[in-house]
Amino acid sequence: MNNTILLIGNGKLSKSLQPFLKNYIVFVFDENNITELKKYQGSILIDCSLNRAFNYIYDYLKIFPTKTIICSTGHSKKQMNQIKELSNLMPIFKSENFSLGISLINKFIKDNKKIINRYDNYIFDFHHKNKIDSPSGTSKLIMSSFSKSPNVFSIRTSNIIGAHKINLFQDDEEIEITHKITSRNVFAKGIILSIDFILKKEKGFFTMEDLLNEI
């Protein structure tokens, strides 16, 4: 059990993560066997599913408190409250994006809010055409770093894993910050860092900002 991961979801993110979990015993659950989850226990639960699996995960964690990493996006306000409730009993790490680069951008925005407020702020998010949520979870994460809401535009096309561009406009200058994903391995590597982080915690709600502060 101490070396066991319960991996929820078997899509692109999950499959990119699995090669990095060779030192663990991994049980993978998807829509075909998610009802079997309660038959297993592990040291860590990683949710890479669409958030429609949330009810199964929530019911499981109420019975078996488990260190949990949530990679899925699009949770409702009620579901976020349930996640915060669970974090009183176990450590829960949640992020809409596990890239260190995005975390650095968010930190820059938060640390410079007063100056950034002087600019007109825009976010452009680019993803593959099968991406369900729009704006993306990452765009919403970046939006939360601003003190005033930026203008957000979502573009969906083929063969783009993920790219986000932040433009800050003034009369005489423009600042552009671009972050592009060239491989989903960047997310997998971020999740591995979050595993090391959460194994040291007993309870609480954590994000990539907390991880960045400990690196």
Side-chain angles (χ1 to χ4, degrees):
M1 175 180 169
N2 291 332
N3 201 36
T4 302
I5 287 179
L6 308 177
L7 181 57
I8 315 299
N10 200 25
K12 293 177 180 178
L13 177 58
S14 175
K15 288 176 179 175
S16 69
L17 174 62
Q18 290 171 33
F20 292 87
L21 300 176
K22 292 180 180 178
N23 293 329
Y24 294 89
I25 300 169
V26 181
F27 295 101
V28 180
F29 300 87
D30 58 20
E31 59 186 9
N32 296 314
N33 65 344
I34 188 67
T35 57
E36 302 294 309
L37 179 60
K38 290 181 181 179
K39 297 180 180 179
Y40 296 81
Q41 293 187 51
S43 52
I44 298 175
L45 185 148
I46 303 177
D47 175 19
C48 292
S49 68
L50 298 174
N51 69 0
R52 59 175 172 255
F54 177 80
N55 290 337
Y56 291 103
I57 295 168
Y58 177 70
D59 290 343
Y60 176 88
L61 293 175
K62 285 195 297 183
I63 300 171
F64 304 109
T66 307
K67 297 174 190 288
T68 297
I69 298 169
I70 299 177
C71 314
S72 56
T73 62
H75 294 92
S76 67
K77 184 176 180 180
K78 176 183 177 181
Q79 289 172 333
M80 283 303 304
N81 288 335
Q82 290 174 315
I83 290 169
K84 296 287 183 66
E85 168 201 324
L86 290 171
S87 71
N88 293 319
L89 304 174
M90 67 203 79
I92 294 184
F93 191 108
K94 186 182 189 307
S95 182
E96 283 72 21
N97 188 302
F98 281 78
S99 157
L100 287 179
I102 288 293
S103 299
L104 286 171
I105 291 171
N106 284 335
K107 180 171 174 51
F108 168 78
I109 295 170
K110 288 180 179 179
D111 290 348
N112 297 279
K113 282 182 178 181
K114 288 185 178 180
I115 298 173
I116 288 174
N117 279 345
R118 299 184 178 188
Y119 292 78
D120 295 326
N121 306 316
Y122 291 80
I123 298 173
F124 298 86
D125 84 65
F126 303 83
H127 286 86
H128 56 86
K129 60 186 177 183
N130 295 321
K131 177 88 173 160
I132 295 176
D133 49 340
S134 179
S136 66
T138 300
S139 286
K140 292 176 182 177
L141 179 64
I142 297 172
M143 288 167 62
S144 70
S145 298
F146 286 87
S147 56
K148 64 176 184 180
S149 297
N151 300 286
V152 181
F153 297 91
S154 298
I155 297 93
R156 298 292 177 260
T157 185
S158 57
N159 299 325
I160 295 180
I161 297 175
H164 294 82
K165 186 169 72 169
I166 300 159
N167 291 84
L168 313 177
F169 293 99
Q170 262 191 350
D171 289 341
D172 303 310
E173 66 178 347
E174 174 189 348
I175 299 171
E176 181 176 304
I177 303 170
T178 301
H179 182 271
K180 294 181 180 179
I181 297 297
T182 56
S183 166
R184 286 188 174 81
N185 285 349
V186 70
F187 303 130
K189 291 174 181 177
I191 295 170
I192 295 300
L193 288 174
S194 69
I195 290 175
D196 295 336
F197 176 92
I198 204 170
L199 284 173
K200 303 171 187 174
K201 310 300 180 184
E202 294 302 320
K203 62 182 179 179
F205 181 81
F206 304 98
T207 67
M208 287 295 287
E209 183 176 357
D210 299 302
L211 187 152
L212 201 64
N213 290 334
E214 290 196 10
I215 292 178

